[in-house]
């Protein structure tokens, strides 16, 4: 079963990087902090080397006791043991601190790259992948990588160093001790190979299954009203249960995998320790080494239990983190053709603020919504987009705003003095958790309180904003002071004023207000658009009446263009829409 099958037959999951590409990306992330990496590694090597003096010192104590020497002969090795403990503790702390800082820095850099690239993804690409896939990556996968960076990476560094240096120390005692210890290596190597070959697939599938589970939950909860309205509770419950069972099944497979892994490691430990003890017995019997040296060798091998097992056990965390990292790199490493491209730029002296040239757009094979649409917005002109549902209005608006890229043709925006050049305001406005002032400053971080009040006053929102419990310092958003849809839209329009783009796109930005707040929002939108070039997807035809020009879309094509009066008397599609709309508005008064 492929990852796509696990998630959803219709979903086009975001890419997952190959192992080679993931390693290359990791090297790139670490490169700016190579100095810290070298320093941390060097200090850990020193700490580990100092710690290896413990076993010979203990062996020396054994020889002193075995030879029947005076008790004061134990003073020096005991004092040295204390010194070793202190020095090793201090240097280990310093080394692990450097490694931890390196890991957190690299993790922060990875997060920034992921968020930057994810925000550039075209909306239709995210829709094809499903919100669950991206949500699972930004939560579960980031958490796995973060956990590995904070615990597994420092422990792995210590373990590998301890293994290498301990084996070297055993060779210095007598190479035959090293050869005896190496008898455990084949079992450990086969165990690691057995585990890795299975773990890569299991953990990759588990990440995808968790993403599919989250996607189903998001769809079910987000559409709860529709689900209940169509009596689809049982169907959605079964889908959620099926995806949960798949996730549990993969989790249990990983548990059985880990249990088998530990069982094989214990066998390797028994073989290695038995071999070292037998070797020590024969060497001491033949007078080749002292009892203390044989003791030190046995202690060295016993001390390997921890780092060897830790290194192999950390393969579990490493494989899980590697699977998560590959999913993150798959997004950060997307080719430029797969992310939102900036608008083409034209000279600022052009009379056209926006030029849409033969633009087509499809959401997949056989799902073309725009067909070679051409449109020019002159500087300062307000153009209203009108058409029936599904005509392609919102798609064209998003293409002009740069939220999506066309599958054919180009969208060019005249060079302006402000950034961004185009700002999009839709009916789906998000109020971020924080103070009202912080929410407004998302559009312009350096805005003063006076600037915020001016923007709010422009969109006729200052009165209610100052009437909030703490004024601009009132915490709004989820779990705090809730703004109704009309006020949330005014907040979005105030952000538009603060951003001060030369071109603004409104996609049914007044649709959520309801009849009571419609006129207020239309006045707010009109004030926010003053002095700008604007493309307005008209939810109410009163917005079209006020526009300089009306463009009528039908089945993804421009079928009419002109002023309200011209189109109303032309007896075309707009006239039909106008008569239907104005008739429905007049009906209540008949």
């Amino acid at each position: 079963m492929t990852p796509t099958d696990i998630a959803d037959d219709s979903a086009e999951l975001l890419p997952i990087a190959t192992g080679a590409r993931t390693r290359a990306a990791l090297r790139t992330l670490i490169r700016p902090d190579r100095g810290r990496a070298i320093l941390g590694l060097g200090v850990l090597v020193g700490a580990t080397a100092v710690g290896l003096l413990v076993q010979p010192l203990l062996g020396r104590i054994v020889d002193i006791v075995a030879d029947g020497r005076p008790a004061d002969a134990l003073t020096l090795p005991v004092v040295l043991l204390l010194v070793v403990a202190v020095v090793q503790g201090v240097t280990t702390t310093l080394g692990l601190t450097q490694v931890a800082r390196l890991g957190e820095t690299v993790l922060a850099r990875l997060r920034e790259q992921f968020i930057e690239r994810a925000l550039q993804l075209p909306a239709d690409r995210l829709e094809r992948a499903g919100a669950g896939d991206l949500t699972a990556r930004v939560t579960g996968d980031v958490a796995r990588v973060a956990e590995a960076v904070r615990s597994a990476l420092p422990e792995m560094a210590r373990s590998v160093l301890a293994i290498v240096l301990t084996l070297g120390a055993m060779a210095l005692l007598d190479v035959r001790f090293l050869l005896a210890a190496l008898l455990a290596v084949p079992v450990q190597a086969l165990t690691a190979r057995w585990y890795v070959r299975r773990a890569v697939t299991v953990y990759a599938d588990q990440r995808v299954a968790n993403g599919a589970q989250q996607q189903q939950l998001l769809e079910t909860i987000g559409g709860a009203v529709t689900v209940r309205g169509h009596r689809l509770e049982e169907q959605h419950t079964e889908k959620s249960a099926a995806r949960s069972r798949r996730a549990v099944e993969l989790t249990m497979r990983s548990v059985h995998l880990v249990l088998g892994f530990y069982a094989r490691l214990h066998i390797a430990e028994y073989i290695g320790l038995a071999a070292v003890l037998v070797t020590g017995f024969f060497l001491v019997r033949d007078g080749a080494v002292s009892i203390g040296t044989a003791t030190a060798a046995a202690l060295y091998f016993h001390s390997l239990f921890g780092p060897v097992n830790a290194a192999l056990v950390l393969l579990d965390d490493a494989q899980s983190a590697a699977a998560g990292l590959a999913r993150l790199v798959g997004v950060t490493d997307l080719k430029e053709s797969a992310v939102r491209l900036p608008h083409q730029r034209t000279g600022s002296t052009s009379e056209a603020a926006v030029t849409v040239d033969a633009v087509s757009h499809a959401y997949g094979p056989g799902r073309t919504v725009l067909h070679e649409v051409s449109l020019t917005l002159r500087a300062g002109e307000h153009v209203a987009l009108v058409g029936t549902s599904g005509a392609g209005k919102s798609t064209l608006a998003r293409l002009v705003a740069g939220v999506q890229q066309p599958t054919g043709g180009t969208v060019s925006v005249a060079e302006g003095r402000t950034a961004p050049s185009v700002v999009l305001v839709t009916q789906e406005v998000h109020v971020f958790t924080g103070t009202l002032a912080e929410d407004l400053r998302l559009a312009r971080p350096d805005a003063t309180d006076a600037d915020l009040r001016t923007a709010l006053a422009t969109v006729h929102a200052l009165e209610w904003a100052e009437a909030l419990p703490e004024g601009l310092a009132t915490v709004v958003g989820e779990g705090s002071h809730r703004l109704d849809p009309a006020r949330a839209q005014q907040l979005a329009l105030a952000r538009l004023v603060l951003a001060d783009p030369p071109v603004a796109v409104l996609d049914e930005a007044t649709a959520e207000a309801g009849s009571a707040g419609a006129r207020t929002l239309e006045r707010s939108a009109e004030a926010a658009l003053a002095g700008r070039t604007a493309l307005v997807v008209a939810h109410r035809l009163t917005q079209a009446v006020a526009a300089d020009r009306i463009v009528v879309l039908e089945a993804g094509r421009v079928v009419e263009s002109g002023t309200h009066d011209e189109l109303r008397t032309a007896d075309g599609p707009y006239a039909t829409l106008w008569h239907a709309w104005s008739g429905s508005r007049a009906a209540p008064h008949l």
Side-chain angles (χ1 to χ4, degrees), residues 142 215 236 260 328 471 489 534:
V142 169
Q215 175 68 25
H236 274 256
L328 297 177
Q489 284 289 358

Side-chain angles (χ1 to χ4, degrees), residues 164-189:
V164 173
L165 295 179
T166 300
L167 291 176
M170 291 184 74
L172 289 177
L173 293 178
D174 193 296
V175 71
R176 286 168 287 190
F177 286 124
L178 173 61
L179 295 176
L182 292 179
L183 290 177
V185 172
V187 178
Q188 292 167 336

Side-chain angles (χ1 to χ4, degrees), residues 20-302:
R21 180 55 206 147
T22 301
R23 290 189 293 273
L26 187 58
R27 288 193 295 270
T28 301
L29 288 168
I30 294 175
R31 190 171 296 125
D33 295 285
R34 283 176 296 184
R36 177 172 289 165
I38 294 172
L39 175 62
L41 182 63
V43 175
L44 283 178
V45 168
T48 305
V50 170
L52 292 177
L53 296 174
V54 170
Q55 287 83 355
L57 288 172
L58 291 175
R60 179 63 177 165
I61 291 174
V62 170
D63 282 339
I64 290 173
V65 173
D67 294 342
R69 299 180 191 179
D72 58 1
L74 297 173
T75 303
L76 180 60
V78 170
V79 170
L80 290 176
L81 281 173
L82 293 174
V83 172
V84 166
V86 173
V87 173
Q88 185 184 24
V90 172
T91 52
T92 298
T93 300
L94 292 176
L96 290 178
T97 299
Q98 291 300 318
V99 172
R101 285 179 179 172
L102 171 67
E104 291 295 339
T105 302
V106 171
L107 180 61
R109 192 173 294 130
L110 174 64
R111 279 182 175 139
E112 290 169 1
Q113 291 182 5
F114 179 85
I115 294 298
E116 179 183 3
R117 188 52 57 93
L119 290 175
Q120 293 175 338
L121 286 172
D124 54 320
R125 182 67 184 88
L126 288 177
E127 288 168 1
R128 292 199 304 272
D133 185 31
L134 188 62
T135 301
R137 296 186 192 221
V138 81
T139 54
D141 292 324
V142 169
R144 290 283 184 175
V145 175
E147 183 181 353
V149 164
R150 290 167 183 153
S151 57
L153 177 62
E155 187 62 32
M156 177 68 84
R158 287 183 60 193
S159 298
V160 171
L161 289 173
I163 293 168
V164 173
L165 295 179
T166 300
L167 291 176
M170 291 184 74
L172 289 177
L173 293 178
D174 193 296
V175 71
R176 286 168 287 190
F177 286 124
L178 173 61
L179 295 176
L182 292 179
L183 290 177
V185 172
V187 178
Q188 292 167 336
L190 289 173
T191 298
R193 183 168 178 245
W194 172 85
Y195 175 76
V196 169
R197 291 178 62 182
R198 289 161 176 78
V200 171
T201 302
V202 170
Y203 284 118
D205 287 351
Q206 190 177 9
R207 298 276 74 76
V208 174
N210 288 338
Q213 183 186 34
Q214 288 192 34
Q215 175 68 25
Q216 183 61 46
L217 290 174
L218 287 171
E219 290 177 353
T220 301
I221 295 172
V225 174
T226 302
V227 170
R228 288 196 296 269
H230 290 272
R231 301 292 189 269
L232 298 175
E233 295 95 336
E234 185 175 345
Q235 179 181 343
H236 274 256
T237 300
E238 179 54 36
K239 284 185 177 180
S240 298
R243 293 187 176 182
S244 296
R245 284 194 296 271
R246 178 60 179 164
V248 170
E249 176 190 340
L250 288 169
T251 299
M252 293 309 300
R253 281 178 57 187
S254 68
V255 170
H256 288 301
L257 192 64
V258 171
L259 292 176
F261 179 66
Y262 278 115
R264 288 165 172 78
L265 288 184
H266 293 324
I267 295 173
E269 291 172 359
Y270 174 80
I271 293 173
L273 184 57
V276 170
L277 290 174
V278 170
T279 301
F281 170 78
F282 284 109
L283 291 178
V284 170
R285 188 192 64 178
D286 295 340
V289 298
S290 67
I291 295 177
T293 301
T295 301
L299 290 173
Y300 269 137
F301 187 81
H302 188 272

Side-chain angles (χ1 to χ4, degrees), residues 391-465:
K393 304 186 298 297
S394 293
T395 298
L396 181 57
R398 290 195 283 185
L399 294 178
V400 171
V403 174
Q404 292 176 209
Q405 58 177 335
T407 51
T410 59
V411 177
S412 302
V413 178
E415 200 70 56
R417 292 178 297 172
T418 60
S421 299
V422 185
V423 168
L424 170 69
V425 180
T426 71
Q427 62 179 319
E428 298 173 354
V429 175
H430 183 72
V431 178
F432 293 87
T433 300
T435 66
L436 184 64
E438 291 171 342
D439 211 307
L440 287 166
R441 286 194 176 97
L442 290 171
R444 204 173 95 204
D446 61 347
T448 64
D449 286 350
D451 294 331
L452 303 185
R453 288 186 169 84
T454 299
L456 288 168
T458 300
V459 299
H460 312 292
L462 183 59
E463 184 177 349
W464 66 255

Side-chain angles (χ1 to χ4, degrees), residues 378-393:
R378 295 184 295 275
E381 182 182 27
H382 290 188
V383 174
L385 274 181
V386 172
T388 57
S389 178
K393 304 186 298 297

